[in-house]
C-alpha cells in the first residue's frame, strides 16, 4: 500500500492544498491538473508511481481544496496562477523536478519551465497543448470571447460550466464509458457549483488567450533547452488534437509521443498504461 499525505502550504498568504507520496529523496514529479478538476484527477496515477518517485500534486489556486479566487483580490490570470505554483515549489523545497502537465496545468507548467529551465528535469504532457494546430474547433466559442468580450459572448461560455458538460468532457471519446468512474466528474461539478466559481472560470476562459500568445515563447524554450519530453495523449480529445502532441517533435526531435484510444481525461481509463510509459521514460 502507498501512503499518500494530504497537506497544505502557506504560499505568501495563499493556502495551497496538495497530495504528496513517495520518498522525499527520490526524483520528484510535480503533477499539474486542468479544468475543471483538481489534484484528485491523479488519484489512480499517484500509487502507480510513488514507489519510485516523490510525487507532489497541488490544487491550483481557485481549484479543489486550495483557496478560492475572489475576483478583485487576486488577478484571475494564468500568469498569476503560475506565479503561485512557482512559489509553491520553493516553499515546499522542490529544487529540481519533472512536471506532468494536463490542460490548464500545461500553460502553468510551461511558464515555470521557461522561467527556470535548470529546475525542470523533464516534461510529461498529457493533452497539455503548446501549439495552435492542437486547438480544435471546440475552442471557437472561447475564441469569439477573446475577439469580443461582450456580455453575450461571455454568457455563451456558461455552457462549459454545466454539470452535463463536465460529464461529457470525461466520457467523450471513451470507447467504453463504464470505465469512467463518476467520482471525478461529480467532485468537479461540486467545485464548479461553489458561489463565485462560475465568474472566476469565465475570467480564465477569457485569459486563456494569454497562453496562446505565449506559444512561441514556449516553443523557443523547447528548441533552446530540449528538455526530455513525453507526450501521452488521449487521441479522441475534443479540445486538444493529436496534432498538438506531434508538434512537440518539431522543436524536440527526440520527444516521445504515445496515443491512447480515449478522451480528454485519459487517466480515467488508462492510468496503468500511462504510468508504465512514464516509469520507462523517467528511468532513461
Amino acid at each position: 500500500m502507498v501512503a499518500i499525505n494530504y497537506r497544505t502550504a502557506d504560499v505568501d498568504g495563499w493556502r495551497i492544498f496538495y497530495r504528496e507520496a513517495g520518498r522525499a529523496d527520490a526524483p520528484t514529479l510535480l503533477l499539474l491538473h486542468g479544468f475543471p478538476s483538481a489534484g484528485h484527477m491523479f488519484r489512480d496515477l499517484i500509487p502507480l508511481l510513488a514507489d519510485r518517485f516523490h510525487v507532489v500534486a497541488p490544487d491550483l489556486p481557485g481549484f479543489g481544496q486550495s483557496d478560492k479566487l475572489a475576483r478583485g483580490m487576486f488577478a484571475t490570470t494564468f500568469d498569476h496562477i503560475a506565479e503561485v505554483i512557482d512559489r509553491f515549489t520553493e516553499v515546499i523545497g522542490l529544487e529540481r523536478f519533472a512536471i506532468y502537465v494536463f490542460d490548464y496545468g500545461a500553460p502553468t507548467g510551461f511558464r515555470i519551465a521557461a522561467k527556470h529551465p535548470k529546475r525542470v528535469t523533464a516534461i510529461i504532457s498529457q493533452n497539455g497543448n503548446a501549439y495552435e494546430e492542437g486547438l480544435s474547433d471546440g475552442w471557437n466559442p472561447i475564441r469569439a470571447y477573446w475577439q469580443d468580450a461582450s456580455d453575450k459572448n461571455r454568457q455563451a461560455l456558461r455552457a462549459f460550466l454545466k454539470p452535463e458538460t463536465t460529464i461529457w468532457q470525461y466520457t467523450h471519446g471513451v470507447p467504453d464509458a463504464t470505465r469512467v468512474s463518476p467520482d471525478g466528474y461529480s467532485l468537479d461539478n461540486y467545485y464548479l457549483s461553489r458561489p463565485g466559481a462560475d465568474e472566476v472560470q469565465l475570467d480564465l476562459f477569457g485569459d486563456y488567450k494569454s497562453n496562446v500568445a505565449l506559444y512561441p515563447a514556449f516553443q523557443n524554450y523547447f528548441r533552446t533547452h530540449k528538455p526530455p519530453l513525453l507526450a501521452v495523449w488521449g487521441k479522441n480529445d475534443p479540445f486538444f488534437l493529436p496534432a498538438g502532441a506531434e508538434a512537440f517533435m518539431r522543436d524536440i526531435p527526440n520527444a516521445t509521443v504515445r496515443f491512447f484510444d480515449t478522451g480528454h481525461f485519459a487517466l480515467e481509463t488508462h492510468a496503468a498504461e500511462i504510468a508504465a510509459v512514464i516509469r520507462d521514460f523517467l528511468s532513461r
Side-chain angles (χ1 to χ4, degrees):
M1 296 293 292
V2 174
I4 301 175
N5 298 106
Y6 303 90
R7 310 183 189 279
T8 59
D10 184 333
V11 181
D12 302 330
W14 288 94
R15 177 182 174 276
I16 298 298
F17 174 85
Y18 64 105
R19 292 163 170 79
E20 184 175 28
R23 301 190 330 271
D25 61 348
T28 297
L29 176 59
L30 179 68
L31 307 177
L32 299 176
H33 68 84
F35 168 84
S37 199
H40 70 84
M41 68 165 279
F42 300 112
R43 64 196 180 280
D44 295 329
L45 183 67
I46 291 173
L48 299 174
L49 298 176
D51 65 319
R52 188 178 296 180
F53 305 102
H54 174 216
V55 186
V56 177
D59 290 357
L60 300 181
F63 292 79
Q65 295 295 316
S66 289
D67 274 348
K68 293 187 292 184
L69 302 184
R71 300 181 76 206
M73 296 180 63
F74 182 101
T76 313
T77 65
F78 285 91
D79 277 345
H80 204 171
I81 287 173
E83 288 171 7
V84 172
I85 297 302
D86 184 13
R87 280 288 295 135
F88 164 78
T89 66
E90 296 172 345
V91 167
I92 69 169
L94 303 185
E95 295 180 356
R96 283 172 57 79
F97 48 90
I99 57 174
Y100 180 116
V101 299
F102 164 70
D103 192 82
Y104 280 11
T108 302
F110 294 154
R111 278 173 168 83
I112 293 170
K115 182 179 179 182
H116 306 292
K118 293 183 179 180
R119 292 185 190 177
V120 175
T121 59
I123 297 172
I124 300 150
S125 177
Q126 186 250 298
N127 299 70
N129 193 60
Y131 296 87
E132 292 245 16
E133 57 261 50
L135 298 175
S136 76
D137 289 344
W139 285 88
N140 287 349
I142 298 176
R143 287 182 181 275
Y145 185 52
W146 297 345
Q147 296 165 3
D148 175 15
S150 65
D151 184 65
K152 178 182 177 181
N153 284 342
R154 183 180 177 91
Q155 297 309 317
L157 300 183
R158 290 188 179 276
F160 288 104
L161 306 180
K162 292 181 177 180
E164 56 268 31
T165 303
T166 304
I167 297 172
W168 176 82
Q169 287 189 69
Y170 272 76
T171 58
H172 178 84
V174 178
D176 181 3
T178 66
R179 292 188 59 193
V180 178
S181 167
D183 297 340
Y185 59 70
S186 296
L187 187 53
D188 288 352
N189 277 330
Y190 164 75
Y191 289 139
L192 282 175
S193 70
R194 293 181 296 184
D198 56 344
E199 297 298 336
V200 167
Q201 295 302 334
L202 294 175
D203 287 348
L204 288 176
F205 288 156
D207 189 62
Y208 200 92
K209 65 181 177 182
S210 72
N211 301 329
V212 179
L214 282 174
Y215 282 177
F218 296 155
Q219 293 158 20
N220 182 64
Y221 156 73
F222 299 146
R223 284 193 301 273
T224 302
H225 297 280
K226 292 185 169 51
L229 187 139
L230 167 67
V232 285
W233 218 264
K235 68 178 184 178
N236 307 321
D237 190 328
F239 300 108
F240 297 119
L241 302 172
E246 293 167 336
F248 284 114
M249 293 187 291
R250 188 165 64 232
D251 295 311
I252 307 174
N254 291 331
T256 300
V257 179
R258 291 286 302 274
F259 293 108
F260 298 88
D261 187 16
T262 190
H264 187 59
F265 283 93
L267 290 177
E268 295 296 312
T269 54
H270 287 73
E273 294 90 335
I274 290 172
V277 176
I278 290 172
R279 291 169 70 91
D280 177 67
F281 169 71
L282 292 180
S283 297
R284 295 175 187 173

